[in-house]
Amino acid sequence: MSGTFVGMPAFPRAAREAVGNATLRGNLRHATHTIRDKRARAVAELDDWAALREAGKQIKDHTLRHLDRYLVQVEEAVTAAGGTVHWATDADEANEIVARLVEEAGGGDVERREVVKVKSMATQEIGLNEALEARGIHAYETDLAELIVQLGKDRPSHILVPAIHRNRGEIRDIFRSEMGEWGRPAPEGLTDTPAELAEAARLHLREKFLRAKVGISGANFVVAETGTLVVVESEGNGRMCLTLPETLISVVGIEKIVPRWQDLEVFLQTLPRSSTAERMNPYTSMWTGTRDGRAGEGDGPSTFHLVLLDNGRTDTLADEVGRQALRCIRCSACLNVCPVYERAGGHAYGSVYPGPIGAILSPQLRGTGSEIDASLPYASSLCGACYEVCPVAIDIPEVLVHLRERVVQGGPSVRNGNRVVLKPAKGHAAERAAMRAAQWAFTHPGALRTGQRLASRTRRLHPRTLPGPGRAWSGSRDLPAVPAEPFRDWWQRTHGGKDGAK
């Protein structure tokens, strides 16, 4: 299954193992608290933040409602600027397209069997690096954190800071032991100071930038009216990948489209403040087609390919509640405020999309048919902090509850080719029975009133923990005490049944 960490168990077991790692918890706590405190100060500088947030939501919702029209407009604009557009239904198709394009660009040249990559969640989602490696093509990550993860034979654990689970000492050891196997080795006597680590990475990557003939990227946004792609970053490595190679291939999810150039005004304010807590990104790169398609301008690649990726997005769009997850601009603000992510870390989610957004996006892109994906909607306390910080107002708790209902009841979950078929949920018989009993009680007021009175009169006999399947829930929570008198009876006694009380 594309995007799933090989060998990862479902979230409950993976999280239980992760919280026992004191070093991991310390790294996560320090990093997430630092980022979210800076973000809060950056957002507070804007008096119109709420208006920008609402504008971002409206732009995204409008685009998703008219996505068919804007996709065609993107294809026409990119083609007119000298680029080529490819359509990929799923991960396998996207990987095949990219591998073929790299092979066509390189022929038999060994150096052309290497590609440099801009940090991209979409290419991680489809497992592109592994697919290219199987074809004898070496893909080199150039983002500093992604480089750390790749050299360490690791997996990203955060959307913005993939190596957030590593401290400086661990990074130094990775550079010392692994850089030489991938290219230029780390300098002798390398320490764990940030300046030395950054310089070691810079020297290691420079030879790859100058040698690679093909660059691969994603995009933060695609402007439909001009066919312009936008990548925002903090290091400048992305710009090297976007401008130096002769051929550029961009793999972009179909939800990344915005209709007009003017729409970027909103997102170029909200994205940097929500992600890196900066007023603007140090590097905002924009390109339209090829240099030949731009009347012979001399910079940028001479060949450009845009691979528009579906991979479950159309099915997600069909869900009226769940589709709001496609608004996501990958800022990672929800991860940095989530108490569950802070303790469990990103690897526990078994997906390249960790944290609250991963808990609602991954099950929809991949279906809730697997043990891993069916557990993700439960990886939350429903505290609502993620919704409060989301710059496009995704109501993550609402979607989590919605997906939990789908898991319990069984619903559109398993992908069969291009169709979505039903698969009944397993292991939730007790929960389904409880929900049906509650539904019956709430639709029979007399029975509900009798049950409430009986519970109040026998409240001293109530156990401190729930029996059966409820034991896991009450084992970590205090059950609320049953009041001596039901609210209905109290209202009847104190207000005489006024205002419609029965």
Side-chain angles (χ1 to χ4, degrees):
M1 180 180 296
S2 295
T4 303
F5 292 175
V6 177
M8 284 296 296
F11 182 84
R13 184 154 61 92
R16 190 176 302 114
E17 295 173 359
V19 296
N21 186 331
T23 300
L24 173 66
R25 291 203 319 272
N27 294 345
L28 290 171
R29 181 172 57 253
H30 172 74
T32 56
H33 283 228
T34 299
I35 296 171
R36 76 191 193 194
D37 290 345
K38 289 182 177 178
R39 176 206 169 272
R41 291 193 294 270
V43 167
E45 293 178 351
L46 296 180
D47 294 333
D48 61 345
W49 178 260
L52 286 169
R53 185 176 188 244
E54 179 63 21
K57 171 186 175 182
Q58 295 296 334
I59 292 169
K60 282 289 189 177
D61 283 348
H62 166 81
T63 309
L64 293 172
R65 283 196 300 271
H66 303 283
L67 191 56
D68 54 345
R69 172 161 58 90
Y70 289 122
L71 284 169
V72 173
Q73 189 176 5
V74 165
E75 182 178 34
E76 292 173 347
V78 170
T79 303
T84 303
V85 176
H86 308 263
W87 301 84
T89 302
D90 55 25
D92 291 339
E93 189 172 0
N95 288 332
E96 173 61 30
I97 291 170
V98 175
R100 173 174 54 80
L101 293 174
V102 174
E103 290 170 347
E104 291 174 353
D109 191 337
V110 174
E111 289 185 359
R112 292 172 184 262
R113 305 283 289 184
E114 298 179 345
V115 300
V116 288
K117 290 183 70 232
V118 185
K119 181 179 182 297
S120 164
M121 302 298 294
T123 60
Q124 291 173 9
E125 175 190 326
I126 63 177
L128 178 62
N129 287 10
E130 294 79 4
L132 292 178
E133 189 67 32
R135 300 275 283 261
I137 302 168
H138 301 288
Y140 296 107
E141 299 289 349
T142 62
D143 173 83
L144 176 57
E146 291 286 358
L147 174 66
I148 294 166
V149 169
Q150 186 177 47
L151 292 176
K153 300 177 180 62
D154 202 350
R155 293 280 186 171
S157 63
H158 192 276
I159 290 176
L160 176 66
V161 194
I164 195 172
H165 56 290
R166 298 289 193 183
N167 59 39
R168 293 184 302 178
E170 292 173 314
I171 295 169
R172 175 204 58 210
D173 294 342
I174 290 172
F175 281 8
R176 284 176 172 177
S177 63
E178 302 296 333
M179 269 188 172
E181 296 296 322
W182 291 75
R184 179 168 179 157
E188 291 290 335
L190 178 66
T191 71
D192 64 356
T193 60
E196 287 196 28
L197 294 174
E199 180 64 15
R202 185 178 297 112
L203 294 173
H204 177 80
L205 291 171
R206 185 54 57 98
E207 65 177 21
K208 301 188 186 305
F209 287 134
L210 297 176
R211 187 173 64 201
K213 305 301 181 182
V214 179
I216 295 177
S217 81
N220 294 96
F221 308 101
V222 182
V223 182
E225 68 178 355
T226 60
T228 301
L229 279 73
V230 183
V231 164
V232 297
E233 48 149 345
S234 298
E235 300 170 10
N237 294 334
R239 182 164 294 176
M240 301 280 277
C241 292
L242 296 171
T243 56
L244 290 179
E246 297 173 0
T247 299
L248 175 61
I249 305 168
S250 298
V251 182
V252 183
I254 57 175
E255 82 281 14
K256 294 300 186 72
I257 294 174
V258 296
R260 305 170 302 163
W261 187 268
Q262 184 178 352
D263 296 326
L264 292 176
E265 175 188 357
V266 173
F267 299 111
L268 293 183
Q269 293 183 77
T270 56
L271 177 55
R273 290 176 187 267
S274 292
S275 56
T276 56
E278 295 169 300
R279 295 181 179 90
M280 65 179 294
N281 290 97
Y283 295 89
T284 300
S285 301
M286 304 179 183
W287 71 99
T288 307
T290 66
R291 65 170 181 249
D292 297 328
R294 299 191 300 273
E297 296 178 14
D299 63 336
S302 59
T303 304
F304 171 60
H305 296 274
L306 171 61
V307 182
L308 289 170
L309 176 68
D310 188 323
N311 203 38
R313 286 158 174 80
T314 299
D315 293 329
T316 303
L317 190 60
D319 189 318
E320 293 185 1
V321 176
R323 70 174 60 146
Q324 59 184 297
L326 296 179
R327 291 186 210 143
C328 178
I329 58 175
R330 309 292 191 266
C331 70
S332 77
C334 61
L335 280 69
N336 299 324
V337 299
C338 178
V340 177
Y341 175 86
E342 180 186 323
R343 289 158 178 82
H347 291 161
Y349 292 81
S351 168
V352 298
Y353 301 111
I357 187 61
I360 65 171
L361 186 59
S362 296
Q364 295 191 88
L365 295 182
R366 300 198 307 237
T368 54
S370 74
E371 180 187 8
I372 291 176
D373 295 306
S375 70
L376 288 181
Y378 296 87
S380 170
S381 64
L382 299 180
C383 68
C386 50
Y387 170 65
E388 294 298 325
V389 299
C390 178
V392 286
I394 301 171
D395 194 341
I396 294 178
E398 177 187 32
V399 183
L400 286 167
V401 173
H402 170 68
L403 293 178
R404 291 180 185 184
E405 181 182 7
R406 275 180 49 178
V407 171
V408 171
Q409 294 182 351
S413 58
V414 180
R415 310 202 183 283
N416 180 11
N418 293 328
R419 297 188 303 111
V420 180
V421 297
L422 299 181
K423 179 177 181 179
K426 296 180 180 180
H428 293 278
E431 187 174 348
R432 287 198 298 272
M435 291 299 102
R436 288 168 183 164
Q439 180 183 22
W440 182 88
F442 285 125
T443 55
H444 294 77
L448 179 62
R449 182 166 53 250
T450 299
Q452 289 173 333
R453 288 173 175 171
L454 180 62
S456 293
R457 291 169 184 172
T458 60
R459 64 194 185 101
R460 297 183 183 279
L461 303 177
H462 291 180
R464 300 301 299 270
T465 59
L466 295 174
R471 187 178 295 112
W473 189 91
S474 61
S476 58
R477 300 169 177 84
D478 293 328
L479 289 178
V482 177
E485 182 180 28
F487 175 80
R488 289 169 176 265
D489 291 352
W490 172 84
W491 186 271
Q492 184 80 22
R493 176 172 54 79
T494 58
H495 292 76
K498 296 179 181 180
D499 298 329
K502 301 293 185 182

